[in-house]
Amino acid sequence: MKITTIMQFILGLIVCNGHVIICGSLYGNETDQLSLLEFKDAITLDPKQSLMSWNDSTHSCSWEGVHCRMKNPYRVTSLNLTNRGLVGQISPSLGNLTFLKHLLLPTNGFTGTIPPSLGHLHRLQNLYLSNNTLQGTIPSLANCSNLKALWLDRNQLVGRIPADLPPYLQVMQLPVNNLTGTIPASLANITVLNQFNVAFNNIE
């Protein structure tokens, strides 16, 4: 029994040798790949065929717009699909990309709401969703403790600006929406904030 186990271990090393990324997909990246495929399923139009490479025949770290850590486990750290003409909704599955630092989906045709699950991404640093047709309210991003830049301008967002904002936010761009209410007093506690824009809303 011990000999069999040892042989299986050695065989595993031989298989993985020279194919580290493939092995990484088996141990630690399954959730990321499934989450990205769910995101793809929510896309109804991909005019530039930007997601053509998103399939099981290749590792998700080699898919267009996807960048991963360069060490094991090979987790997704960036998703950049800027100006791809994508139409659909932003899948809540992106909230499972727990190593994600940069989410850039501006200048597309995304509709629906911003998934509240994005508020679980505590490593997220940059969230760019500008120039889409997103509706609903801005979800709580208080748990995105490392968020530095929030760009939600030129959408159709409604409701109030959340009072529970990340403490290290440096840029907050919200112009050209349908936001209402007042500017939250808690904004004064974010001492590193250097860009704040809510022009062309219905702020009191």
Side-chain angles (χ1 to χ4, degrees), residues 116-156:
S117 60
L118 298 185
H120 302 152
L121 300 173
H122 67 276
R123 290 183 173 88
L124 192 65
Q125 297 178 13
N126 297 288
L127 179 58
Y128 286 73
L129 302 177
S130 307
N131 198 24
N132 283 285
T133 317
L134 295 169
Q135 302 170 334
T137 59
I138 301 173
S140 173
L141 299 171
N143 290 328
C144 300
S145 55
N146 290 296
L147 190 65
K148 297 178 181 178
L150 177 64
W151 292 73
L152 303 178
D153 53 296
R154 287 169 291 166
N155 280 287
Q156 297 177 7

Side-chain angles (χ1 to χ4, degrees), residues 48-61:
K48 299 181 180 180
Q49 298 185 326
S50 301
L51 307 183
M52 180 177 289
S53 62
W54 289 37
N55 56 70
D56 291 328
S57 65
T58 57
H59 190 274
S60 56
C61 291

Side-chain angles (χ1 to χ4, degrees), residues 1-22:
M1 181 67 70
K2 290 183 179 180
I3 294 175
T4 302
T5 303
I6 292 172
M7 289 302 294
Q8 289 176 340
F9 176 73
I10 294 174
L11 180 61
L13 290 178
I14 293 173
V15 172
C16 287
N17 187 29
H19 300 280
V20 178
I21 292 182
I22 294 176

Side-chain angles (χ1 to χ4, degrees), residues 99-112:
F99 278 73
L100 194 66
K101 294 181 179 180
H102 312 286
L103 178 57
L104 297 87
L105 303 174
T107 316
N108 284 290
F110 287 108
T111 59

Side-chain angles (χ1 to χ4, degrees), residues 13-202:
L13 290 178
I14 293 173
V15 172
C16 287
N17 187 29
H19 300 280
V20 178
I21 292 182
I22 294 176
C23 291
S25 70
L26 298 176
Y27 304 104
N29 199 261
E30 305 94 330
T31 300
D32 286 1
Q33 183 148 331
L34 290 173
S35 298
L36 290 172
L37 288 174
E38 286 186 35
F39 171 83
K40 179 183 178 181
D41 288 342
I43 302 299
T44 57
L45 182 63
D46 179 12
K48 299 181 180 180
Q49 298 185 326
S50 301
L51 307 183
M52 180 177 289
S53 62
W54 289 37
N55 56 70
D56 291 328
S57 65
T58 57
H59 190 274
S60 56
C61 291
S62 66
W63 294 352
E64 182 172 348
V66 178
H67 296 276
C68 298
R69 287 171 17 127
M70 297 304 294
K71 58 183 179 179
N72 197 14
Y74 300 92
R75 303 298 299 276
V76 175
T77 58
S78 175
L79 178 59
N80 184 356
L81 294 170
T82 300
N83 193 22
R84 298 301 207 280
L86 298 174
V87 176
Q89 298 194 359
I90 300 175
S91 172
S93 65
L94 293 184
N96 296 324
L97 303 176
T98 54
F99 278 73
L100 194 66
K101 294 181 179 180
H102 312 286
L103 178 57
L104 297 87
L105 303 174
T107 316
N108 284 290
F110 287 108
T111 59
T113 60
I114 300 173
S117 60
L118 298 185
H120 302 152
L121 300 173
H122 67 276
R123 290 183 173 88
L124 192 65
Q125 297 178 13
N126 297 288
L127 179 58
Y128 286 73
L129 302 177
S130 307
N131 198 24
N132 283 285
T133 317
L134 295 169
Q135 302 170 334
T137 59
I138 301 173
S140 173
L141 299 171
N143 290 328
C144 300
S145 55
N146 290 296
L147 190 65
K148 297 178 181 178
L150 177 64
W151 292 73
L152 303 178
D153 53 296
R154 287 169 291 166
N155 280 287
Q156 297 177 7
L157 300 173
V158 298
R160 293 175 171 268
I161 301 171
D164 54 343
L165 293 167
Y168 301 111
L169 198 61
Q170 298 176 13
V171 177
M172 189 174 184
Q173 293 286 346
L174 305 175
V176 195
N177 279 289
N178 297 310
L179 299 173
T180 56
T182 59
I183 296 174
S186 57
L187 208 65
N189 298 326
I190 308 177
T191 57
V192 294
L193 188 68
N194 56 57
Q195 289 186 39
F196 175 69
N197 189 348
V198 291
F200 301 103
N201 280 284
N202 298 307

